[in-house]
Structures are given as structure tokens and as C-alpha cells.
Amino acid sequence: QQQVKQSPQSLIVQKGGISIINCAYENTAFDYFPWYQQFPGKGPALLIAIRPDVSEKKEGRFTISFNKSAKQFSLHIMDSQPGDSATYFCAASMYSSASKIIFGSGTRLSIRP
Amino acid sequence: GAGVSQSPRYKVAKRGQDVALRCDPISGHVSLFWYQQALGQGPEFLTYFQNEAQLDKSGLPSDRFFAERPEGSVSTLKIQRTQQEDSAVYLCASSLRTGKGYTFGSGTRLTVV
């Protein structure tokens, strides 16, 4: 059972454009939604995270939009740069309990110069 | 060190061999997780420790997989009688507390031939 579904699988965006990655979750007990960025040969690194009490969180060029009723959330990367080329994973967990993080299947993002 | 350290970085094992993968978490981090990442996929949870206690091992795929953290710091993931399907990157992550985004190591890439 895939608890966190992520799309698209791959994405090509022109430099300066907006990259959008979408995720949907099933378990309503999830209350912590991080996004991870992974470069080849490295482990995933936390990029930005949101709790469901807010609908949007922005950090620099990265924004998470959260729709609790639809059980969906998305990552927007504004003014995308070649250095943003990486694989992005959405994830979900239960914030306050001893709980593992469930990852989506990943989106390979390529930013064209 | 400042980050999560994993060794070896690469391991080639003949089918049927036993392997041991080591994880050195960030000093003082209570929680430690092991994940398995197949090529082109998101990390999948294997097991979780809080200090020396293994609180969740529901993700271990078979009884050939065993993890320990005897003194609540360094952890070892052992795979007995390796099979080709065990080929993957094994990631370790640690955090100060459970539920929050944690810090991953760069992983051990295991190839079973």
C-alpha cells in the first residue's frame, strides 16, 4: 500500500521557471509533511516541512502548499536554477510520536539552462 | 563529526555472504533510523531505535536482516546470506527527537553478485 503518492516521476523546467511537484497522502493521522532533496551519491536532505495547521509555508524560493481536506500538498520552486536539479521526495509522518517517515517515490527534476 | 557517518560507502558481496553496515549518528541524537533505497525509488523504512531500544522493526524484509545499537550510539545493520534482491543503498538517519525531519548519512551502496 502506497501511503504517499508523488507525481510527476520526472520534470524538466527551464531556468527561471516554476517547478511544481505534487503529493497525496492517505493516512489522516499524518501531521508532519517534509520535503527532501537528494543529489546523486548523497543521502536525502531536509528542504522544508509543514504542519497541517497552516495552508502554506515559504522559505526563500521554496513554498509548500497544503490542502488538508483533499489530503494533498505540493512543492513549488520559484525561479528554478540549474543547481536545483536533483531528486525530490515528499514524505509524511506523525510529528509527536515515535514514528517513521513515509516517503513518496520521488521526482527527478532537471533545470535546463 | 558534524554529520551522520556510514561505512563502508560501497560493498560488493557474493550471494550467500553475510555483511555488516555501520552507522555513526550525530553525537547526542537519540533516534536512529535505517532505510533501504532501491534504484530510482524513495527510501523505505527498515527499523528504528530510541537510544539502545529497538522500538520498531516492522520494515525488516526478512529474518536475514538484523540491526543493533547496543550502547545507544553506533548502530550496525547486518544482513545474513545476502540475496540479489538485497542490492540497494542502505541509509541511516538520526535525530534529536522522533517525528521531526532527521539528518541522513550518504548511505552504503550494497551490490550482491
Side-chain angles (χ1 to χ4, degrees):
Chain A
Q1 181 189 11
Q2 193 177 3
Q3 294 194 58
V4 180
K5 295 183 181 179
Q6 183 171 348
S7 63
Q9 192 172 13
S10 62
L11 180 62
I12 300 173
V13 174
Q14 289 295 123
K15 179 182 175 183
I18 302 173
S19 304
I20 302 174
I21 304 170
N22 300 299
C23 279
Y25 64 98
E26 297 172 2
N27 188 345
T28 54
F30 289 146
D31 61 359
Y32 177 69
F33 302 91
W35 284 88
Y36 283 81
Q37 179 189 56
Q38 186 175 32
F39 293 104
K42 300 292 186 183
L46 179 64
L47 193 60
I48 185 172
I50 197 168
R51 301 288 307 278
D53 50 343
V54 296
S55 60
E56 185 175 282
K57 183 174 181 180
K58 184 176 180 178
E59 289 183 2
R61 296 184 294 108
F62 301 92
T63 300
I64 301 178
S65 298
F66 187 83
N67 185 329
K68 188 174 181 178
S69 60
K71 293 190 287 184
Q72 294 176 347
F73 57 111
S74 60
L75 176 70
H76 291 60
I77 305 174
M78 312 300 287
D79 186 27
S80 300
Q81 299 297 312
D84 297 330
S85 297
T87 300
Y88 292 80
F89 295 97
C90 61
S93 75
M94 287 172 271
Y95 185 82
S96 59
S97 70
S99 169
K100 65 253 192 183
I101 288 182
I102 308 297
F103 286 83
S105 54
T107 296
R108 179 173 287 186
L109 174 65
S110 296
I111 307 300
R112 292 277 169 84
Chain B
V4 177
S5 178
Q6 291 189 246
S7 61
R9 285 285 281 121
Y10 304 93
K11 176 69 179 177
V12 178
K14 291 184 178 178
R15 193 171 57 178
Q17 264 187 329
D18 297 349
V19 298
L21 313 180
R22 177 188 169 104
C23 172
D24 261 290
I26 293 173
S27 178
H29 276 197
V30 168
S31 301
L32 186 145
F33 296 78
W34 283 98
Y35 280 79
Q36 180 190 59
Q37 186 174 24
L39 190 64
Q41 299 296 315
E44 300 232 352
F45 171 79
L46 292 177
T47 188
Y48 157 63
F49 290 86
Q50 186 167 328
N51 295 306
E52 69 277 4
Q54 189 174 19
L55 298 186
D56 187 347
K57 53 182 181 179
S58 61
L60 296 176
S62 77
D63 59 7
R64 296 185 297 103
F65 287 71
F66 171 77
E68 59 183 5
R69 193 186 185 197
E71 297 177 358
S73 178
V74 171
S75 178
T76 304
L77 176 68
K78 297 179 179 177
I79 308 173
Q80 297 177 324
R81 304 181 303 282
T82 52
Q83 303 294 315
Q84 279 194 315
E85 61 263 28
D86 300 335
S87 296
V89 174
Y90 290 85
L91 295 165
C92 175
S94 71
S95 73
L96 274 173
R97 53 174 289 185
T98 60
K100 291 197 64 150
Y102 28 69
T103 303
F104 279 90
S106 292
T108 294
R109 180 177 295 279
L110 173 65
T111 304
V112 181
V113 297

